Amino acid sequence: MDGWKRGWVAAVADGRSLAWTAHATFADLLDVHGTSTVAVDMPIATTDGPREVDVAGQRWLREHGGSWSSIFLAPTTATVAAWEGDPNHSHAAAMAAKGDAPGTSIQAWYLIPKMVEVRDALATRPDARVVEAHPECSFRMMDDRIGRTSKKTGRGAGLRIRALAREFDLDLADAPADVPVDDVLDAAAVAWTAARVERGEHVTLPEGATRAPRIVI
């Protein structure tokens, strides 16, 4: 599952088949898919300082030829609380600095509304099996030849499509209308990870972590 500017896109794996759905809210998505393992490209749990899982994810990507910068340091608990009180990036950055935590990047700042949406949906659905995943980790677990090639380029998209096509009977013509291609591919990548969780084949970052915050691959 991946967030995009108008909601969420879900890719649902069943063997080699891949089905797509689009949802306005994460709560709507869980109402449809919540009985299965849901892997979502979004930080699930915050901490008082930098999350160990983000640092572990950056290290893993470097070790597997990827770009560590594709994993942002997630906003801290204080930064999320600051956003909820006043959605202003400079204010949240100041709040984070006050707590001796690094300032929040603008990229991470824009994740906060979706993070809060996920948090609130899970609070009312304690039995939902939702794990945090990162598509760039998933893609490089599928095929480490992707390297540092950006998903925003034709070659980068092609490499990711080729990796997915080895795992699924992939047909992007079935994807929801209007959803950008990189969000569709990211949703498919974390669906691959969700299937690995269902089969007990996944690995976690940090190694051995059994609960959030963790990244599952």
Side-chain angles (χ1 to χ4, degrees), residues 127-148:
D127 296 329
R129 293 181 289 157
V130 179
V131 296
E132 179 179 340
H134 195 285
E136 290 303 297
C137 293
S138 299
F139 277 123
R140 282 164 185 80
M141 183 68 86
M142 289 182 222
D143 187 349
D144 60 10
R145 292 174 296 179
I146 291 172
R148 297 172 63 89

Side-chain angles (χ1 to χ4, degrees), residues 41 57 60-61 64-71 133-144 146-152 156 160 182 185-186 189-190 192-193 215 217:
D41 177 20
W60 189 93
L61 277 177
H64 290 77
S67 175
W68 65 268
S69 61
S70 64
I71 294 182
H134 195 285
E136 290 303 297
C137 293
S138 299
F139 277 123
R140 282 164 185 80
M141 183 68 86
M142 289 182 222
D143 187 349
D144 60 10
I146 291 172
R148 297 172 63 89
T149 309
S150 171
K151 64 183 179 181
K152 300 291 187 181
R160 287 161 177 79
D182 53 334
L185 296 178
D186 285 352
V190 297
W192 177 82
T193 291
I215 290 174
I217 309 173

Side-chain angles (χ1 to χ4, degrees), residues 52-54 56-57 59 203-211 213-215:
E52 181 184 357
V53 62
D54 297 327
R59 183 184 310 115
V203 298
T204 61
L205 303 173
E207 184 177 355
T210 58
R211 61 181 182 178
R214 63 176 183 160
I215 290 174

Side-chain angles (χ1 to χ4, degrees), residues 106-207:
I106 194 67
Q107 295 93 337
W109 171 255
Y110 285 130
L111 294 179
I112 295 178
K114 295 288 190 187
M115 290 173 59
V116 170
E117 189 180 340
V118 170
R119 182 200 66 190
D120 292 349
L122 291 176
T124 59
R125 296 163 177 79
D127 296 329
R129 293 181 289 157
V130 179
V131 296
E132 179 179 340
H134 195 285
E136 290 303 297
C137 293
S138 299
F139 277 123
R140 282 164 185 80
M141 183 68 86
M142 289 182 222
D143 187 349
D144 60 10
R145 292 174 296 179
I146 291 172
R148 297 172 63 89
T149 309
S150 171
K151 64 183 179 181
K152 300 291 187 181
T153 66
R155 177 176 172 78
L159 288 169
R160 287 161 177 79
I161 289 169
R162 185 172 67 183
L164 288 168
R166 294 193 189 100
E167 307 295 332
F168 302 112
D169 298 323
L170 187 67
D171 187 354
L172 296 185
D174 293 332
D178 301 328
V179 179
V181 66
D182 53 334
D183 292 317
V184 168
L185 296 178
D186 285 352
V190 297
W192 177 82
T193 291
R196 282 169 56 84
V197 174
E198 293 276 4
R199 297 192 300 267
E201 298 173 355
H202 62 287
V203 298
T204 61
L205 303 173
E207 184 177 355

